[in-house]
Amino acid sequence: MLYSAGEVELVKNSTDIVSVVQQYVQLKRAGNSWKGLCPFHKEKTPSFIVFPATGTWKCFGCGAGGDVFEFLKKIKNQEFPEAVEELAEAAGITLKGDGTSGLSAGLSKGLFEIVDEAHRFFRKCFAGPEGSKVRAYLKGRDIDPAESGIGIGYAPGGNALLKHLRSLNYSVSVMGDAGLVITDRGDPYDRFRERLTFPILDRRGRVVSFGARALGDAVPKYLNGPETAIYRKGSFLYGYSTALKAARESGIAILVEGYFDHARLVSAGFSETVATSGTALTKKQAKNLMGMAEKQYICYDGDSAGRKAAVKAAEILLAQGAYPMIVRLPDGMDPDDFVKNRGREAFEELLRSAYDPVSFCVSLIDGKLPEGPERIRLAERLLEVAVSSSNPLVEEDLQKKVEEFTGYSRDALEKKGNEIRSSKERTGYIRKSAGNLGSGDTIVLRVATAGGVYNTEFVDFLRTDDLTTELGVRLLNAFRGQIDRGFSSVVPAEFPDDLSARCADIVWALEGVSPQEIQKLKRDITRKRRELPRLRELQEDLASSDPERKAIALEEFADMKAEDER
C-alpha cells in the first residue's frame, strides 16, 4: 500500500515521537531533548537522543537515526506502510491510500475484522462444551494453553463458523477472500472443521490466518490457511509479534518448525521462539528472524528430514549475511518431546553447545572423515554451505572449518569454492559494497534537506552530474521522487533500507541554511562541478590540431568568460 504525501505527513505531525519511543526505551529529559540507552546496540552510557522539536531521534553510539516511522521500522522490524498504519490507528486517523498500489484500505480493514471475529469464535468454542475434547487433547500432551499464551482455539464442524459469520451479516464472498470458507466447490463450507486452531498474527499482532491440527484421523493432519490479500505464507513467522520483545532482551531468536514445538518452548520460558509453521524458510522470513536478534538458533526435528531442513535454513540465513547456529536434538526427538521430557535446563545446555552450519554437518557423521570419493563429496557439500554466506568474514571462518576437518589445502578449497559459487544460483543478496558518500555530496544533500524539509528550488537546480557518487545520485533521485508525490518534508523511512540508514547523517544535520549560503553553494557547484570539467575538455580541444574543433572551443570559452563577468 502506498499512502499519499498528505496522509503520511498528517500521521507524522499527529504523532508525539517521545510517547512512541518511551514504549520501548526508558527516557529522561535532557534540556530540550530526551536521552536513553539505545535499543539497537548494547551500551552502558546513554547515547540515544530524541529531539521532539524536529520529531527525530539519533544514536551517537551506533549512528542509527531517523523519524518516528524509521524508529518503528527498526524496533518492530516493520515495513514502512505498517509503521504508517500503526501510528495512524493510534492517532485515530483513517487512511485511504492513493490507489496506486496494493490492497485498498477499506478491503484490508474488512478482512482483518472478519478474521479477528473468526478467532474470537474459535476461542469461545474452545472454552465451551464443544471444546472439551480439545482441552483433553492438550492435557494429554501436557500443554497448558494459558502458559503458552498463543490463543489456541477450536473450529467445530457443521459449518459452525459460516453460520456464525452469516448471523453477523458477513458475505460469503468476504469469508472466501479471508480464507475462512471454501466457495469454489459447490455450496460454501468451513475450511477448518473439527480442528484445533493456532492464530497466525502479523507483525502488528493482528490475526491474519490460522494453522489447524486435526483431532482425529482427518488428512492432512496440519492445515494452514490459504494465501490472501492480508496473509502471505512466506512473509510471516509464527509467533513473531509476541517473540520480538523477548528476543531483543535476550539477544537470541530461536527458530522451530511446528506449532507444538513453539507452544512447548514458549511455555517453558523461551519466549523468543518463532516457527515456520511447517514450511521451508524463505528469504523474507530469514530477514525477519535476523531483525529480531543478533544471534539466531535453528532447532528442527532430530530426524533425517529435520536435519536436512535445518542445514537448508542455515544456508538461507547465511545468504542474508547472518551466522546462524544449529541445535542438534537427540535422534528421533523434536523440540516438543525434548523439553517435555528433559526440561528447560537441558534445552539451555543444547543452545550453549549449538553448532555452526559446517560443524553441524560434520557432527552428523560423528566427525569421522571418509576416504576417497566420499571424502571429496563431503568436502564439496561442506563448501556449498560455506560459500552460501554473503558475508566474506563468515565465509572465511566456515571455510577454515572445512579445511581443518577435510585436510584439503586452502588453495584447493578456495578454487573449488569459487567453482561452486559461480555455478550455484545464489539465494541471498549479491555481495557489494554499501557505497560511500563523499564530503561534497554530503554537503549538497544536507542543504537540500535542511531541517528535514525539502528545499525544492535547490533540488530543482541540482543535476545528477553534480553529485560525484552513485549513492549521492540515488539519494537525490529518492528525494525527487517524494517531492514529485507532494511531500514537503523528508520521510526517509519510505526509502530502501540502505538509503534510509544513510539519511540519519544528512536530513537533520542542519537546522537551516540562509539564502546567501545557498547562493554561494550554487555558484560553487556551477564552477567546480559543471564549468571546470568542461573547461578541461575545452583545453584539450584548444590543443587539438583540428581547426574546426579548436574554433568551436574558442567560441564556447568566450561565452563562458562573458557569462562569468556578468
Side-chain angles (χ1 to χ4, degrees), residues 28 49 56 99 115 129 141 265 335 373 385 422 427 429 444 481 496 520 534:
K28 292 184 178 180
I49 312 295
T56 61
V115 174
R141 295 193 65 147
L265 264 64
V385 175
S422 63
T427 57
Y429 60 77
V444 169
K520 182 179 183 302
R534 182 56 184 152

PDB file of all heavy atoms in Angstrom, residues 28 49 56 99 115 129 141 265 335 373 385 422 427 429 444 481 496 520 534:
ATOM      1  N   LYS A  28      14.902   9.954  29.740  1.00  0.00           N
ATOM      2  CA  LYS A  28      14.964  11.019  30.737  1.00  0.00           C
ATOM      3  C   LYS A  28      15.185  12.338  30.012  1.00  0.00           C
ATOM      4  O   LYS A  28      15.945  12.408  29.046  1.00  0.00           O
ATOM      5  CB  LYS A  28      16.110  10.767  31.725  1.00  0.00           C
ATOM      6  CG  LYS A  28      15.889   9.560  32.631  1.00  0.00           C
ATOM      7  CD  LYS A  28      17.018   9.429  33.647  1.00  0.00           C
ATOM      8  CE  LYS A  28      16.775   8.247  34.577  1.00  0.00           C
ATOM      9  NZ  LYS A  28      17.867   8.099  35.580  1.00  0.00           N
ATOM     10  N   ILE A  49      19.323   9.821  21.645  1.00  0.00           N
ATOM     11  CA  ILE A  49      18.680  11.110  21.907  1.00  0.00           C
ATOM     12  C   ILE A  49      17.433  11.259  21.037  1.00  0.00           C
ATOM     13  O   ILE A  49      17.458  10.963  19.840  1.00  0.00           O
ATOM     14  CB  ILE A  49      19.626  12.296  21.617  1.00  0.00           C
ATOM     15  CG1 ILE A  49      20.994  12.063  22.261  1.00  0.00           C
ATOM     16  CG2 ILE A  49      19.007  13.601  22.096  1.00  0.00           C
ATOM     17  CD1 ILE A  49      20.986  12.032  23.760  1.00  0.00           C
ATOM     18  N   THR A  56      12.579  13.757  15.585  1.00  0.00           N
ATOM     19  CA  THR A  56      13.616  12.825  15.147  1.00  0.00           C
ATOM     20  C   THR A  56      14.341  12.218  16.342  1.00  0.00           C
ATOM     21  O   THR A  56      14.177  12.659  17.478  1.00  0.00           O
ATOM     22  CB  THR A  56      14.645  13.532  14.251  1.00  0.00           C
ATOM     23  OG1 THR A  56      15.275  14.591  14.997  1.00  0.00           O
ATOM     24  CG2 THR A  56      13.978  14.116  13.022  1.00  0.00           C
ATOM     25  N   GLY A  99      -4.279   4.701  -4.004  1.00  0.00           N
ATOM     26  CA  GLY A  99      -4.807   3.870  -5.076  1.00  0.00           C
ATOM     27  C   GLY A  99      -3.800   3.424  -6.098  1.00  0.00           C
ATOM     28  O   GLY A  99      -4.164   2.834  -7.111  1.00  0.00           O
ATOM     29  N   VAL A 115     -11.440 -11.959  10.050  1.00  0.00           N
ATOM     30  CA  VAL A 115     -10.530 -12.979  10.575  1.00  0.00           C
ATOM     31  C   VAL A 115     -10.451 -12.876  12.097  1.00  0.00           C
ATOM     32  O   VAL A 115     -10.407 -13.894  12.803  1.00  0.00           O
ATOM     33  CB  VAL A 115      -9.135 -12.847   9.931  1.00  0.00           C
ATOM     34  CG1 VAL A 115      -8.153 -13.817  10.575  1.00  0.00           C
ATOM     35  CG2 VAL A 115      -9.212 -13.121   8.435  1.00  0.00           C
ATOM     36  N   PRO A 129     -18.507 -26.087  25.902  1.00  0.00           N
ATOM     37  CA  PRO A 129     -18.670 -27.549  25.987  1.00  0.00           C
ATOM     38  C   PRO A 129     -18.086 -28.275  24.783  1.00  0.00           C
ATOM     39  O   PRO A 129     -17.496 -29.356  24.926  1.00  0.00           O
ATOM     40  CB  PRO A 129     -20.191 -27.725  26.060  1.00  0.00           C
ATOM     41  CG  PRO A 129     -20.706 -26.418  26.565  1.00  0.00           C
ATOM     42  CD  PRO A 129     -19.796 -25.374  26.025  1.00  0.00           C
ATOM     43  N   ARG A 141      -1.120 -33.941  26.092  1.00  0.00           N
ATOM     44  CA  ARG A 141       0.214 -33.563  25.606  1.00  0.00           C
ATOM     45  C   ARG A 141       0.967 -32.724  26.631  1.00  0.00           C
ATOM     46  O   ARG A 141       2.075 -32.264  26.363  1.00  0.00           O
ATOM     47  CB  ARG A 141       0.104 -32.783  24.291  1.00  0.00           C
ATOM     48  CG  ARG A 141      -0.449 -33.599  23.139  1.00  0.00           C
ATOM     49  CD  ARG A 141      -0.251 -32.901  21.806  1.00  0.00           C
ATOM     50  NE  ARG A 141       1.152 -32.748  21.447  1.00  0.00           N
ATOM     51  CZ  ARG A 141       1.616 -32.773  20.196  1.00  0.00           C
ATOM     52  NH1 ARG A 141       0.774 -32.971  19.183  1.00  0.00           N
ATOM     53  NH2 ARG A 141       2.893 -32.611  19.945  1.00  0.00           N
ATOM     54  N   LEU A 265       8.117 -24.610  23.800  1.00  0.00           N
ATOM     55  CA  LEU A 265       9.241 -23.761  24.190  1.00  0.00           C
ATOM     56  C   LEU A 265       8.767 -22.479  24.865  1.00  0.00           C
ATOM     57  O   LEU A 265       9.358 -22.030  25.850  1.00  0.00           O
ATOM     58  CB  LEU A 265      10.114 -23.438  22.971  1.00  0.00           C
ATOM     59  CG  LEU A 265      11.340 -24.352  22.799  1.00  0.00           C
ATOM     60  CD1 LEU A 265      10.911 -25.786  22.542  1.00  0.00           C
ATOM     61  CD2 LEU A 265      12.237 -23.847  21.670  1.00  0.00           C
ATOM     62  N   PRO A 335      11.649 -30.666  19.247  1.00  0.00           N
ATOM     63  CA  PRO A 335      11.766 -29.743  20.390  1.00  0.00           C
ATOM     64  C   PRO A 335      10.689 -29.958  21.445  1.00  0.00           C
ATOM     65  O   PRO A 335      10.959 -29.843  22.652  1.00  0.00           O
ATOM     66  CB  PRO A 335      11.644 -28.366  19.726  1.00  0.00           C
ATOM     67  CG  PRO A 335      12.140 -28.571  18.335  1.00  0.00           C
ATOM     68  CD  PRO A 335      11.676 -29.940  17.955  1.00  0.00           C
ATOM     69  N   PRO A 373      36.480 -41.049  -2.892  1.00  0.00           N
ATOM     70  CA  PRO A 373      35.416 -40.216  -3.471  1.00  0.00           C
ATOM     71  C   PRO A 373      34.452 -39.658  -2.427  1.00  0.00           C
ATOM     72  O   PRO A 373      33.944 -38.546  -2.579  1.00  0.00           O
ATOM     73  CB  PRO A 373      34.703 -41.178  -4.430  1.00  0.00           C
ATOM     74  CG  PRO A 373      35.729 -42.206  -4.772  1.00  0.00           C
ATOM     75  CD  PRO A 373      36.541 -42.381  -3.532  1.00  0.00           C
ATOM     76  N   VAL A 385      27.864 -25.191   1.760  1.00  0.00           N
ATOM     77  CA  VAL A 385      27.330 -24.482   2.924  1.00  0.00           C
ATOM     78  C   VAL A 385      28.138 -23.216   3.184  1.00  0.00           C
ATOM     79  O   VAL A 385      27.580 -22.130   3.383  1.00  0.00           O
ATOM     80  CB  VAL A 385      27.344 -25.400   4.164  1.00  0.00           C
ATOM     81  CG1 VAL A 385      26.912 -24.612   5.407  1.00  0.00           C
ATOM     82  CG2 VAL A 385      26.424 -26.592   3.957  1.00  0.00           C
ATOM     83  N   SER A 422      30.207 -19.869  -8.536  1.00  0.00           N
ATOM     84  CA  SER A 422      29.860 -19.378  -9.866  1.00  0.00           C
ATOM     85  C   SER A 422      28.754 -20.194 -10.516  1.00  0.00           C
ATOM     86  O   SER A 422      27.995 -19.685 -11.335  1.00  0.00           O
ATOM     87  CB  SER A 422      31.102 -19.382 -10.764  1.00  0.00           C
ATOM     88  OG  SER A 422      31.585 -20.705 -10.930  1.00  0.00           O
ATOM     89  N   THR A 427      20.955 -17.624  -3.354  1.00  0.00           N
ATOM     90  CA  THR A 427      19.638 -17.311  -2.808  1.00  0.00           C
ATOM     91  C   THR A 427      19.633 -16.002  -2.043  1.00  0.00           C
ATOM     92  O   THR A 427      18.579 -15.482  -1.707  1.00  0.00           O
ATOM     93  CB  THR A 427      19.175 -18.423  -1.850  1.00  0.00           C
ATOM     94  OG1 THR A 427      20.160 -18.588  -0.822  1.00  0.00           O
ATOM     95  CG2 THR A 427      18.993 -19.718  -2.586  1.00  0.00           C
ATOM     96  N   TYR A 429      21.463 -11.903  -1.179  1.00  0.00           N
ATOM     97  CA  TYR A 429      21.774 -10.713  -1.941  1.00  0.00           C
ATOM     98  C   TYR A 429      23.167 -10.829  -2.535  1.00  0.00           C
ATOM     99  O   TYR A 429      24.023 -11.536  -2.049  1.00  0.00           O
ATOM    100  CB  TYR A 429      21.672  -9.450  -1.073  1.00  0.00           C
ATOM    101  CG  TYR A 429      22.577  -9.383   0.123  1.00  0.00           C
ATOM    102  CD1 TYR A 429      23.926  -9.089  -0.013  1.00  0.00           C
ATOM    103  CD2 TYR A 429      22.077  -9.603   1.399  1.00  0.00           C
ATOM    104  CE1 TYR A 429      24.751  -9.010   1.089  1.00  0.00           C
ATOM    105  CE2 TYR A 429      22.893  -9.527   2.503  1.00  0.00           C
ATOM    106  CZ  TYR A 429      24.229  -9.229   2.343  1.00  0.00           C
ATOM    107  OH  TYR A 429      25.048  -9.146   3.431  1.00  0.00           O
ATOM    108  N   VAL A 444      25.936  18.924  -0.163  1.00  0.00           N
ATOM    109  CA  VAL A 444      24.871  19.265  -1.109  1.00  0.00           C
ATOM    110  C   VAL A 444      23.530  18.706  -0.644  1.00  0.00           C
ATOM    111  O   VAL A 444      22.507  19.404  -0.630  1.00  0.00           O
ATOM    112  CB  VAL A 444      25.219  18.733  -2.515  1.00  0.00           C
ATOM    113  CG1 VAL A 444      24.019  18.845  -3.449  1.00  0.00           C
ATOM    114  CG2 VAL A 444      26.401  19.496  -3.092  1.00  0.00           C
ATOM    115  N   GLY A 481      11.709  11.851  -5.962  1.00  0.00           N
ATOM    116  CA  GLY A 481      10.513  11.018  -6.030  1.00  0.00           C
ATOM    117  C   GLY A 481       9.469  11.441  -5.017  1.00  0.00           C
ATOM    118  O   GLY A 481       8.269  11.491  -5.323  1.00  0.00           O
ATOM    119  N   PRO A 496      14.392   2.591   0.443  1.00  0.00           N
ATOM    120  CA  PRO A 496      15.031   1.298   0.731  1.00  0.00           C
ATOM    121  C   PRO A 496      15.937   1.418   1.950  1.00  0.00           C
ATOM    122  O   PRO A 496      16.470   2.501   2.242  1.00  0.00           O
ATOM    123  CB  PRO A 496      15.844   1.021  -0.544  1.00  0.00           C
ATOM    124  CG  PRO A 496      15.128   1.773  -1.620  1.00  0.00           C
ATOM    125  CD  PRO A 496      14.597   3.016  -0.956  1.00  0.00           C
ATOM    126  N   LYS A 520      25.761  30.840  -2.547  1.00  0.00           N
ATOM    127  CA  LYS A 520      27.201  30.563  -2.621  1.00  0.00           C
ATOM    128  C   LYS A 520      27.443  29.115  -3.045  1.00  0.00           C
ATOM    129  O   LYS A 520      28.321  28.833  -3.876  1.00  0.00           O
ATOM    130  CB  LYS A 520      27.859  30.827  -1.273  1.00  0.00           C
ATOM    131  CG  LYS A 520      29.376  30.604  -1.278  1.00  0.00           C
ATOM    132  CD  LYS A 520      29.979  30.905   0.076  1.00  0.00           C
ATOM    133  CE  LYS A 520      31.500  30.748   0.038  1.00  0.00           C
ATOM    134  NZ  LYS A 520      31.922  29.394  -0.374  1.00  0.00           N
ATOM    135  N   ARG A 534      34.162  21.038 -17.838  1.00  0.00           N
ATOM    136  CA  ARG A 534      34.015  21.435 -19.240  1.00  0.00           C
ATOM    137  C   ARG A 534      35.231  22.229 -19.711  1.00  0.00           C
ATOM    138  O   ARG A 534      35.670  22.090 -20.864  1.00  0.00           O
ATOM    139  CB  ARG A 534      32.740  22.269 -19.407  1.00  0.00           C
ATOM    140  CG  ARG A 534      32.470  22.699 -20.842  1.00  0.00           C
ATOM    141  CD  ARG A 534      32.417  21.511 -21.770  1.00  0.00           C
ATOM    142  NE  ARG A 534      32.252  21.902 -23.162  1.00  0.00           N
ATOM    143  CZ  ARG A 534      32.685  21.181 -24.188  1.00  0.00           C
ATOM    144  NH1 ARG A 534      33.333  20.035 -23.978  1.00  0.00           N
ATOM    145  NH2 ARG A 534      32.485  21.595 -25.424  1.00  0.00           N
TER     146      ARG A 534
END
